[in-house]
Amino acid sequence: MLDICIGSSSEYLKYASVLIHSIVKFTSVNNSFCQYKANQKFMQDLNEGYCFHIFTERENQDTFNLQKLVDKLSTFYPCKILIYPINNQEFDNFSYPFWCQNPAMFYKLKAPELLKDLDKCLFLGVDLMCVSDIRELFALNLKDNLIAAALDCYNFDGFIRQAKSKNQNSNDLLFSDAKYYINNEVMLINLDQWRKEEISKKCQYYLENYHLEGFVDVFPLVCAPKIQIISNKYNLILGVFTRHLLGLENTFSDESNTPVWNFSKQELEQIMQDIRIVHFCHYVYKPWLSPYNDHYVYNGMSLDVNACPIYYPYYQEWWELALSTPFFKKDFEILKKNIQEKSLDNYAISLSKRFRELRDFQMQNLNLIKLNKEECERIENNFQNFKVGLLEREEKEALANTLPYKLGEITITYRNNFCYIILLPFIVAIFKFFYYFVFGNVFVNYDCKNKNECFKYELGKIILKAHRTWYKGGYFKLWFDIKKLKKQFKNK
């Protein structure tokens, strides 16, 4: 038989019933599995029928109903079910991704141990739905590859992940090989090769010693390059249809060197023509949850950037299948009724929250504008003060380079020196000669701001005036002019 493993916590088993129902429903009973395995040397002994291996932490009423469901579905296509209790404590020290804290995500590690008589199995997550016959997956020739799976997002060359070590004395882990980042919710496992290379043990080592995002990180580390990449038609992540509605980047391989999705738009159209499995993940809510409750990983996924409700593809199909699933129909009817009864209130709450977020965003922008305005005014004031200070410094430097200022400054310095007073006419003559022919004439009237600096300048001017009018008794008048100048500045 074709062995399918499904890992699920006990509260999610009812949703696994929809997946099982979809697998059997879309099996084309008119076509034999033999047509898929033709010319394949691997697993030639497979016969018609599914064997569902359910890994869960405990049996309950839902496991009993699953057995009854599979018995009923076997009238349409041969199938049976086996239940395997799992001890969740085995995964206590594992690294969990932020979007999932459920140990059921690690149940696939138990498959090689629990299915010791099998050499191949298909492991599926609960948040999947088959929309076409998937039996051809079992006909893949894995050769010595460990697993076969479709790529996840962000699979461009140069994309590097980093994992911090849980041990402070160990180095962090850097790894790339983006082409091997797979989505492990649909994974065909080569159990023989897995056991031979002790993959479970290697996964356990990395998950216990590094802060990894679950299997998204660990499989490229442990299994690459023995990973056979299959088409995304076997695992179409529905986020490809919703990211742009939420205002997120949604680039394809033909649009960017660092795309979100590893396929082009044309390849997506080809995938859409032959979809086998859809995956309710990546910025979408699970179909069994209310779209307006922020109870999943990403908040606000029910409304697009314009606050309009988002239509998610395949959700109606999932509910149609759920409401027609034997032995679980009543559970889903109650669940849907509860969602519908609260949908208007939840929508109003979600819309109100979006408006509050918009208001808060506007307030933050207004505050930012206010802060920016105040900062601009502060910068402007600082600039003006700097400019004034710069002009004052320039004026002071220009003033200090004039002949009158130099004469006034040296006269004040040697005002009590009798020799300087006697030799003042000669000193002025020498200063004039050197200043005019060496430094140049900078004799300009300045509007001084500093009283002390201006006094030096004005003193120098009256000394030069006295020197020019020496023959008229300029130097005799100089002492009266100095006294008058001192009185003038004292009054100021």
Side-chain angles (χ1 to χ4, degrees), residues 290-302:
S290 170
Y292 303 112
N293 288 344
D294 292 335
H295 44 37
Y296 191 49
V297 180
Y298 312 106
N299 296 334
M301 292 186 296
S302 58

Side-chain angles (χ1 to χ4, degrees), residues 252-270:
F252 296 85
S253 61
D254 55 343
E255 298 175 330
S256 171
N257 293 327
T258 57
V260 176
W261 306 104
N262 62 81
F263 43 78
S264 65
K265 281 188 173 180
Q266 184 178 359
E267 288 170 332
L268 177 59
E269 292 176 1
Q270 296 172 352

Side-chain angles (χ1 to χ4, degrees), residues 35-214:
Q35 68 172 346
Y36 297 116
K37 65 178 184 177
N39 300 320
Q40 295 291 340
K41 296 180 180 179
F42 190 71
M43 295 296 291
Q44 285 292 319
D45 58 332
L46 285 175
N47 297 313
E48 297 290 345
Y50 298 116
C51 181
F52 295 102
H53 304 267
I54 308 299
F55 295 178
T56 187
E57 71 269 30
R58 64 180 180 274
E59 296 189 44
N60 55 19
Q61 183 61 40
D62 286 337
T63 57
F64 179 66
N65 288 338
L66 279 176
Q67 291 174 330
K68 293 194 293 183
L69 169 65
V70 171
D71 288 341
K72 187 172 181 64
L73 294 176
S74 64
T75 61
F76 175 78
Y77 183 77
C79 52
K80 67 178 182 179
I81 186 170
L82 297 172
I83 309 295
Y84 301 81
I86 304 294
N87 181 9
N88 286 342
Q89 292 181 347
E90 295 182 41
F91 315 109
D92 284 348
N93 297 324
F94 280 18
S95 292
Y96 286 78
F98 74 93
W99 65 83
C100 181
Q101 299 297 308
N102 196 319
M105 67 179 301
F106 300 116
Y107 288 175
K108 53 178 67 70
L109 286 181
K110 305 296 293 182
E113 173 189 338
L114 297 175
L115 310 180
K116 57 183 65 176
D117 296 328
L118 301 179
D119 52 7
K120 177 196 281 188
C121 75
L122 177 65
F123 210 103
L124 301 177
V126 174
D127 57 344
L128 304 167
M129 182 178 71
C130 293
V131 294
S132 187
D133 199 330
I134 64 169
R135 288 179 297 171
E136 67 177 350
L137 264 175
F138 289 91
L140 287 177
N141 189 349
L142 289 174
K143 300 178 182 177
D144 63 343
N145 287 316
L146 294 162
I147 53 178
L151 293 173
D152 207 284
C153 51
Y154 295 107
N155 296 93
F156 52 84
D157 289 336
F159 185 69
I160 297 176
R161 292 183 188 256
Q162 181 175 1
K164 294 213 170 276
S165 173
K166 295 181 180 180
N167 185 350
Q168 294 182 351
N169 297 323
S170 298
N171 295 328
D172 293 344
L173 197 61
L174 281 175
F175 48 102
S176 54
D177 265 339
K179 63 182 178 181
Y180 293 114
Y181 281 100
I182 58 169
N183 188 290
N184 59 84
E185 292 300 281
V186 179
M187 193 167 72
L188 189 65
I189 304 176
N190 185 342
L191 297 174
D192 279 343
Q193 195 68 24
W194 185 290
R195 297 186 197 100
K196 187 183 301 182
E197 299 190 25
E198 298 183 327
I199 299 302
S200 293
K201 186 176 180 180
K202 294 177 182 178
C203 289
Q204 181 178 349
Y205 167 78
Y206 282 108
L207 289 167
E208 289 182 340
N209 289 279
Y210 293 93
H211 294 286
L212 300 170
E213 294 188 355

